[in-house]
Amino acid sequence: MREICNFIDDLAHTEGETAYRFCLLLTGSPRRAEQAAFQGFLYLAELKDAPSTEDARLLLYRFLYRASEDAWYRRGSAPLKRAAFEELAGAAVSDDLWRLVKRPLKRKAAVFLAAGACFSAEEAARALGTRRERVEKWLAGEAGAQALCAELADAAPSGAWAEQLGDDLLMRWQERNVPLENKLLRIRSAADRLAPILALAAVLLCLAAVWYTARLSASLGG
């Protein structure tokens, strides 16, 4: 993969399983977690070069969050069952970890980045596009955040996913037009985020039309 992006191989080796666990916490599905993690690396590979290893790592988790958020938007509102998540995690989860799983997406992402991926609160905030003070508040609200993230340590991707990640990324890049696919995914992502707003706008427009019609009928009847 070095001929495509000179730092991806190293990150795939050092961050592959942690990236998977991050995406698993956010998506609640092994398949979606693997897909989101893979897509996050593909987004990063477009950059070709990064100023430093730490900057590349921070950018990776920014892209992982974007890909996981996209998966969350597409999944719908089906609630995640505790027993199902325990099966994914490979062990029973504590009440504290289950509360974290049920937190809003950005909050649990921030907790994992700071407590499970060794980022500072400032770095986690930069990765997620939020304020450091908010991340610090979220961390303060989670008792034993590092222990919670450690509970996910047994969660592992299927087969040799992590070991083959670098080779699979190279194969995808060679066989398909990854920059074009990424651009199309970004367009779809924007559409997914606009859909609820457009739906609400349509409902409000219908209500306004009903109200106007009722007022008009009342005035003509009078």
Side-chain angles (χ1 to χ4, degrees):
M1 189 67 193
R2 290 186 184 277
E3 58 267 39
I4 305 298
C5 179
N6 62 16
F7 55 87
I8 283 290
D9 275 341
D10 292 337
L11 279 176
H13 177 72
T14 59
E15 300 294 327
E17 290 199 0
T18 304
Y20 168 80
R21 286 190 283 272
F22 175 69
C23 295
L24 179 65
L25 177 64
L26 300 187
T27 65
S29 161
R31 181 176 61 84
R32 291 190 183 94
E34 290 181 3
Q35 291 172 345
F38 191 78
Q39 185 58 48
F41 276 98
L42 285 178
Y43 281 141
L44 184 67
E46 278 192 279
L47 301 181
K48 308 293 185 183
D49 294 293
S52 69
T53 301
E54 284 307 307
D55 283 344
R57 187 168 175 267
L58 188 146
L59 287 169
L60 169 64
Y61 282 91
R62 178 181 297 172
F63 291 134
L64 291 172
Y65 178 76
R66 176 194 293 175
S68 298
E69 190 178 42
D70 288 343
W72 181 85
Y73 271 100
R74 291 192 293 270
R75 188 185 71 183
S77 57
L80 183 65
K81 303 296 185 182
R82 182 167 181 167
F85 190 81
E86 288 179 335
E87 185 177 351
L88 302 180
V93 301
S94 66
D95 291 341
D96 288 336
L97 177 57
W98 182 241
R99 276 193 291 272
L100 177 61
V101 171
K102 303 296 286 184
R103 298 291 193 196
L105 205 66
K106 187 167 287 190
R107 175 168 177 164
K108 60 185 177 182
V111 172
F112 185 96
L113 290 181
C118 301
F119 284 106
S120 67
E122 176 65 32
E123 290 169 332
R126 286 171 55 200
L128 299 174
T130 189
R131 293 181 291 107
R132 174 180 53 82
E133 293 80 8
R134 179 171 293 178
V135 172
E136 291 173 342
K137 181 180 179 180
W138 288 336
L139 285 169
E142 301 295 341
Q146 289 184 335
L148 298 185
C149 294
E151 286 190 56
L152 292 172
D154 291 333
S158 59
W161 181 87
E163 290 79 4
Q164 297 174 356
L165 180 57
D167 291 338
D168 289 342
L169 288 166
L170 177 59
M171 185 179 301
R172 172 69 68 87
W173 197 278
Q174 290 175 333
E175 293 179 348
R176 293 158 71 168
N177 188 336
V178 172
L180 176 60
E181 289 182 345
N182 285 351
K183 184 178 294 186
L184 294 174
L185 280 173
R186 291 186 182 99
I187 293 172
R188 179 181 177 182
S189 173
D192 288 340
R193 284 156 176 75
L194 281 174
I197 299 173
L198 294 176
L200 177 59
V203 170
L204 293 175
L205 186 61
C206 290
L207 291 174
V210 170
W211 174 82
Y212 176 77
T213 303
R215 288 291 302 271
L216 183 60
S217 299
S219 64
L220 291 175

